[in-house]
Structures are given as structure tokens and as C-alpha cells.
């Protein structure tokens, strides 16, 4: 059920509203209209919208005689006053249109004229992307042939999994290849090029969410901790090599400064990224608009002519 809140003038001092990105946010928690141009607003899922003010910023700086405000939301329900939409959901996305009616009065004749102005607010639900990390490291090896390479790879994966298991994170898609590398000193060495992904959705990951509706906030916090632990692990490997060995290094060891870390974003079903349509929220996973859908963790909303709702997860 939609929760609508109508605000009277005494609530202009309202603070703490969960507002998000908007190009016309001129006062914390308040968004003004712009005549002739829809104002795009992005509200995080399950948060409150900003206060939508049914006038432009210029008009707000002037006195307004006998004003009335009429709103029509996506469900075509009529409302009056200033507006806050609480506990925003995907289905609440859409155009919110308000009409401001007021009078101009000539002081000398008391002649009155009615003025009407219309403002459109285009509101989209969004959520933070889910983070994962693609990592790559290198280890020297005595030869590209032999069981010890497989053994090192298996042990390394087990160590990293144990390191982050309490965070409901795990290692996925691990792989390695062995290459012969010629150094600038023309010395030929063998190295294992190891790649893996750090993922925040290990078995039982939903238990970490408890009653939180913004579970990505928790999983993203956990994956950041997992990234830091793994980086620290390889830093320690370099430290051990530097301080515990003189000129003779073990045949298989971590190659210092070889760790590479790249963040990879994904969106939940029904959401996607589109910097062209949503430049004010370019890093957000924005709800798929009617005519598009997203069935998985891709970051793109796909076209679907038969979809007429926001946040579609399938194409009928």
C-alpha cells in the first residue's frame, strides 16, 4: 500500500528527510519544480523522497496570493499541498505532476487574475550496486609442468576462502595459467598467473542481512572488508619474502606488487545502469522503466515492448 504524506507550511523546517540526487535540490530535503522541464529525482529503495515543492525556486522567493496545490501521482490519485513519498518502492516510480494556482491582484483596482503553473517531477527508485572484486596475482614456480602448481593453487584458494568466510564472502571462478617470462636482465623465469573473483554471496549470506531491507549495504560492507583482508594477506607475503630471505628465494613465491584489484558492479533484478538516461545517478542501479526489464544481475535493462511497469524482472 502506498504511503503518502501531505505537508502543511509548518513542515518547511522538516529535517532528516531521506532525499537523494536531484539537479534542483536547493535546500536540504526540498526539491523545486521547473516550468516546462521535468525534474528528475532518484530515491533510494525503502527511503523517503525529498519534499516536493509545487513551485519553482524563483516563485518561492516571492509572495503568492491564495495559492492552491494539486498533485496527480502515477496512480492518478489527487492530492494537495507539498509532498513526501515514504518507503519508496519500484512501483512508486513515475511522473508526479503538480498544478499551482494563485492570484495576482492590482492594488489600485483590486482586479484579480488567476494564474496556473504546472510542474513535473520524474521520480525513480534506485539501489546501490552489489560489489564484487576481480583480483589477479602472480607466483614464481620452478616449472610449468608438475603437480606442485596445482597444489599451490588449491592451497591458496583454501587460505583465501578461510580468510573471508566469516564475512559470508567466498572465492569464485579461480583459474591459473603458467607462462615463461623473460626479465629485463634476460633471465627466463616461470610464473603462475592466478585470477579469481571475491564474491559476497557465499552460502547463508542472507543470514547476515537480519531484518535489513537494504541488504546491499551490508553485503557491500562485508566485501570491502574481504578485499582489505586479501590485500593485507599478499602484503604480508611480500614482507615475509623481503625480511626472511636474503639472496636465496624459494622456487615458488609471491611476486611483489603483482596484485591487481578491480571492482565489478552488478544490479539486482529489475534494476540497471544507464549514464545516458540517468547522468545524475550514473553509479546507481536505477529501476528499469516501462518497456525494459532486467531478469538477472546484469547492469543493463533490456527492451521489452509488452512491459508496462517499473522494475520488471521478466518479459511476458
Amino acid at each position: 500500500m502506498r504511503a503518502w504524506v501531505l505537508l502543511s507550511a509548518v513542515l518547511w523546517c522538516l529535517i532528516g528527510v531521506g532525499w537523494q540526487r536531484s539537479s534542483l535540490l536547493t535546500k536540504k530535503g526540498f526539491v523545486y519544480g521547473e516550468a516546462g522541464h521535468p525534474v528528475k529525482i532518484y530515491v533510494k529503495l525503502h527511503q523517503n523522497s525529498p519534499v516536493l515543492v509545487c513551485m519553482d525556486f524563483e516563485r518561492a522567493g516571492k509572495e503568492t496570493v491564495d495559492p492552491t496545490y494539486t498533485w496527480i501521482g502515477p496512480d492518478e490519485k489527487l492530492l494537495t499541498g507539498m509532498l513526501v513519498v515514504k518507503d519508496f518502492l519500484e512501483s512508486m516510480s513515475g511522473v508526479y505532476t503538480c498544478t499551482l494556482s494563485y492570484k495576482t491582484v492590482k492594488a489600485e483596482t483590486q482586479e484579480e487574475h488567476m494564474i496556473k503553473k504546472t510542474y513535473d517531477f520524474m521520480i525513480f527508485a534506485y539501489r546501490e550496486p552489489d560489489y564484487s572484486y576481480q583480483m589477479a596475482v602472480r607466483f614464481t614456480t620452478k616449472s610449468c609442468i608438475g603437480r606442485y602448481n596445482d597444489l599451490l593453487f588449491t592451497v591458496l584458494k583454501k587460505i583465501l576462502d578461510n580468510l573471508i568466510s566469516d564475512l559470508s564472502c567466498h572465492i569464485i571462478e579461480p583459474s591459473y595459467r603458467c607462462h615463461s617470462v623473460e626479465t629485463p636482465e634476460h633471465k627466463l623465469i616461470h610464473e603462475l598467473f592466478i585470477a579469481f573473483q571475491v564474491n559476497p554471496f557465499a552460502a547463508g549470506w542472507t543470514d547476515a542481512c537480519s531484518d535489513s531491507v537494504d541488504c546491499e549495504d551490508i553485503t557491500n560492507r562485508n566485501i570491502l572488508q574481504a578485499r582489505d583482508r586479501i590485500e593485507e594477506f599478499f602484503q604480508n607475503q611480500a614482507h615475509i619474502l623481503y625480511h626472511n630471505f636474503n639472496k636465496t628465494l624459494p622456487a615458488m613465491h609471491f611476486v611483489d606488487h603483482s596484485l591487481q584489484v578491480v571492482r565489478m558492479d552488478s544490479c539486482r533484478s529489475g534494476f540497471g545502469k544507464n549514464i545516458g538516461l540517468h547522468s545524475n545517478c550514473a553509479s546507481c542501479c536505477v529501476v528499469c522503466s516501462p518497456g525494459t526489464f532486467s531478469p538477472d544481475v546484469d547492469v543493463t535493462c533490456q527492451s521489452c515492448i509488452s512491459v508496462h511497469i517499473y522494475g520488471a524482472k521478466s518479459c511476458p
Side-chain angles (χ1 to χ4, degrees):
M1 179 178 179
R2 299 191 177 194
W4 299 82
V5 178
L6 303 180
L7 300 182
S8 64
V10 296
L11 292 182
W12 276 94
C13 61
L14 179 68
I15 60 173
V17 177
W19 63 270
Q20 297 298 334
R21 301 162 173 83
S22 170
S23 58
L24 289 177
L25 195 66
T26 55
K27 180 179 179 183
K28 185 175 181 180
F30 294 82
V31 176
Y32 296 86
E34 184 177 0
H37 299 281
V39 177
K40 287 186 177 181
I41 303 168
Y42 300 88
V43 181
K44 191 172 182 179
L45 202 64
H46 300 296
Q47 300 295 314
N48 298 343
S49 78
V51 181
L52 307 182
V53 185
C54 188
M55 62 176 59
D56 54 63
F57 189 65
E58 182 181 0
R59 165 52 51 189
K62 302 176 181 178
E63 66 176 16
T64 304
V65 179
D66 294 337
T68 59
Y69 311 92
T70 304
W71 288 89
I72 299 179
D75 60 359
E76 298 186 354
K77 184 176 181 180
L78 290 174
L79 301 161
T80 59
M82 290 182 287
L83 186 68
V84 169
V85 187
K86 285 193 170 182
D87 192 22
F88 205 82
L89 302 175
E90 297 99 316
S91 59
M92 295 179 179
S93 299
V95 179
Y96 291 73
T97 300
C98 71
T99 300
L100 165 64
S101 300
Y102 64 95
K103 296 176 181 177
T104 59
V105 181
K106 288 186 177 181
E108 62 276 14
T109 63
Q110 295 297 301
E111 183 181 355
E112 298 180 359
H113 290 281
M114 181 64 71
I115 306 294
K116 288 189 176 182
K117 292 187 176 182
T118 300
Y119 305 95
D120 289 332
F121 297 83
M122 187 69 233
I123 309 182
F124 298 92
Y126 84 93
R127 61 192 311 162
E128 297 294 340
D130 290 307
Y131 305 155
S132 62
Y133 284 91
Q134 185 68 37
M135 296 189 177
V137 294
R138 291 160 67 172
F139 277 77
T140 63
T141 182
K142 189 174 182 179
S143 170
C144 284
I145 302 174
R147 66 184 183 88
Y148 290 106
N149 295 336
D150 286 339
L151 182 60
L152 180 143
F153 178 69
T154 301
V155 170
L156 178 63
K157 180 184 180 301
K158 185 175 294 186
I159 289 173
L160 296 179
D161 265 331
N162 289 337
L163 193 64
I164 60 178
S165 61
D166 64 307
L167 299 171
S168 299
C169 298
H170 63 156
I171 303 300
I172 65 171
E173 301 180 7
S175 64
Y176 83 89
R177 291 184 178 181
C178 188
H179 296 279
S180 299
V181 180
E182 185 175 7
T183 66
E185 297 79 19
H186 303 291
K187 180 181 178 182
L188 191 67
I189 60 175
H190 302 291
E191 290 187 356
L192 303 179
F193 288 61
I194 300 173
F196 55 90
Q197 189 178 135
V198 187
N199 182 278
F201 303 117
W205 69 271
T206 54
D207 296 339
C209 299
S210 300
D211 297 326
S212 172
V213 293
D214 293 321
C215 196
E216 68 265 27
D217 292 343
I218 295 174
T219 55
N220 284 347
R221 182 189 64 201
N222 288 345
I223 197 70
L224 290 172
Q225 291 185 55
R227 178 204 62 187
D228 292 344
R229 289 184 189 180
I230 292 174
E231 288 181 338
E232 183 180 9
F233 169 78
F234 286 112
Q235 289 169 1
N236 288 338
Q237 296 303 303
H239 180 82
I240 290 170
L241 286 173
Y242 182 80
H243 290 280
N244 290 17
F245 298 92
N246 295 321
K247 294 183 179 180
T248 305
L249 292 174
M252 304 182 78
H253 66 266
F254 170 67
V255 177
D256 194 13
H257 303 300
S258 68
L259 176 64
Q260 298 180 27
V261 179
V262 177
R263 197 183 89 184
M264 302 174 63
D265 291 351
S266 60
C267 295
R268 302 284 173 95
S269 301
F271 291 79
K273 289 186 177 184
N274 190 320
I275 191 172
L277 292 176
H278 307 296
S279 59
N280 287 340
C281 207
S283 64
C284 305
C285 290
V286 180
V287 64
C288 294
S289 298
T292 65
F293 76 107
S294 178
D296 48 31
V297 294
D298 199 359
V299 294
T300 303
C301 293
Q302 306 172 39
S303 296
C304 178
I305 298 175
S306 61
V307 167
H308 304 291
I309 62 172
Y310 283 90
K313 300 177 182 179
S314 62
C315 184

